[in-house]
Amino acid sequence: LGWRHERLRDGDYFAFVEAFVEGLRAALPHVLLQWEDLSKQNAFSVLDLYRSELPSFNDDIQGTGAVVLGGVLAALRLTGQQMRDQRLVVLGAGAGGVGVTRQLHAGLVHAGLSETEARERLYTLDSRGLVMDDRATMEPYKQAFARARGDVAGWSLEDPDRVSLIDVIRNARPTAIIGMSGQPGVFDETIVRAACANLDRPLIFPLSNPTAKAEGKPEDILRWSAGRAVVATGSPFEPVQYDGSQRHIGQGNNVFVFPGVGLGALVVGAREITDGMLTAASTALFDAVSSADLDRGSVYPSMARLREVTVDVATAVAAAAIEAGVADAPDEPVEDAVRSAMWTPEYYQHIAV
């Protein structure tokens, strides 16, 4: 399937992308481009090259980050904590994992921390353990959140040559552990119990998908945490019966964000997708989580409400674009413009006679 051609790399790759973007702009001058499934460093390089050239965003990086931040903010309504007080671990430092870390950093800054203070609250891990800035080789996109060796001075480590997930949990005492690794079962009983030793209600989000790659199963996490953990997943899971009640597991799916980001940007003719627009999407998603959702244990809305959530996200994104000066206000209220731009799939009923 597809175009059978050896994979382009380095200069040839970027020349091809440039030719594509130039052709796209010539043919569709008002187009919004959503980058998808670009590999690791290429994903970040392409995003940084073109985000100010035409309205574009990378769903794997920015959409995922916005969805996770929205879920974290909603979970804090259950725990009674503030965003500015969080210490967060992201297991997995690919495009999605670093995208999540970037958006969590933006959320911490939005909550009142400085750029440096926010970075100090974040721990990213890859297959080699905690990402440290003294590695001999490291992909450029990981460097912004790499920790200094002095940050772990005095830590008690199982292996002095590698700072593992359990080391980070025991020493940094995180409030949230977010799985973006694709390693099934890595949030095992030892990890969950260590997280619960730090505070009463840790956030444990095994977000890798499909279901077979989730870092943990909700029923196991709830059992090992004695029902204290706040759980969200990236794939759909059935509700969990625990201690006489049913816990619904919120699904952190990008579909809550990327349609609204695209719609909101297009409705007001945004010339760029700014970081503030993505943070606005996170906040709108957080606001869309109802008290009923939280009472059921879910930190994300029901998929049945996707259309209305998209209206909320698109309206917030459009308003943020206008506020940032990258779009002009429409002649009608923003929400009305969003609703009038949405398509409803209605079909005639055909009856055989």
Side-chain angles (χ1 to χ4, degrees), residues 283-346:
T283 303
L285 177 57
F286 152 65
D287 288 336
V289 180
S290 68
S291 296
D293 292 323
L294 295 173
D295 290 343
R296 299 187 309 161
S298 176
V299 299
Y300 288 103
S302 165
M303 283 291 177
R305 293 178 52 219
L306 177 59
R307 190 174 179 87
E308 282 303 308
V309 173
T310 297
V311 171
D312 295 340
V313 171
T315 302
V317 167
I322 295 167
E323 183 178 355
V326 298
D328 300 320
D331 296 331
E332 58 185 322
V334 172
E335 183 176 332
D336 291 347
V338 166
R339 289 187 181 277
S340 64
M342 295 178 75
W343 175 67
T344 301
E346 296 177 343

Side-chain angles (χ1 to χ4, degrees), residues 23-180:
L24 186 67
R25 285 192 297 195
L28 301 167
H30 304 295
V31 72
L32 180 143
L33 175 59
Q34 178 178 313
W35 302 102
E36 190 86 22
D37 289 339
L38 277 68
S39 65
K40 296 187 179 180
Q41 185 59 54
N42 285 344
F44 290 91
S45 297
V46 169
L47 175 63
D48 293 340
L49 277 171
Y50 296 106
R51 64 182 305 175
S52 61
E53 295 294 318
L54 78 167
S56 64
F57 69 101
N58 184 299
D59 182 50
D60 301 309
I61 297 171
Q62 296 165 293
T64 304
V67 167
V68 174
L69 175 58
V72 168
L73 292 172
L76 297 181
R77 288 168 58 187
L78 281 174
T79 66
Q81 298 176 331
Q82 300 298 315
M83 183 66 192
R84 62 174 294 120
D85 298 323
Q86 301 309 296
R87 299 178 302 280
L88 305 109
V89 171
V90 179
L91 179 66
V98 174
V100 167
T101 307
R102 282 185 172 188
Q103 196 61 42
L104 292 174
H105 181 266
L108 290 166
V109 171
H110 186 72
L113 300 186
S114 69
E115 297 270 344
T116 300
E117 289 171 333
R119 278 194 296 273
E120 290 172 349
R121 303 292 184 86
L122 296 164
Y123 299 84
T124 58
L125 294 94
D126 59 14
S127 60
R128 297 159 63 188
L130 182 64
V131 178
M132 308 289 291
D133 64 4
D134 60 356
R135 286 185 178 179
T137 59
M138 179 167 51
E139 298 92 331
Y141 68 90
K142 296 181 182 181
Q143 292 173 353
F145 298 102
R147 302 305 297 252
R149 183 61 55 179
D151 293 343
V152 301
W155 281 20
S156 176
L157 304 177
E158 292 190 344
D159 180 350
D161 296 324
R162 181 179 182 274
V163 183
S164 67
L165 176 60
I166 191 65
D167 291 329
V168 175
I169 293 172
R170 287 171 175 166
N171 291 277
R173 300 174 61 83
T175 57
I177 306 169
I178 297 163
M180 300 292 300

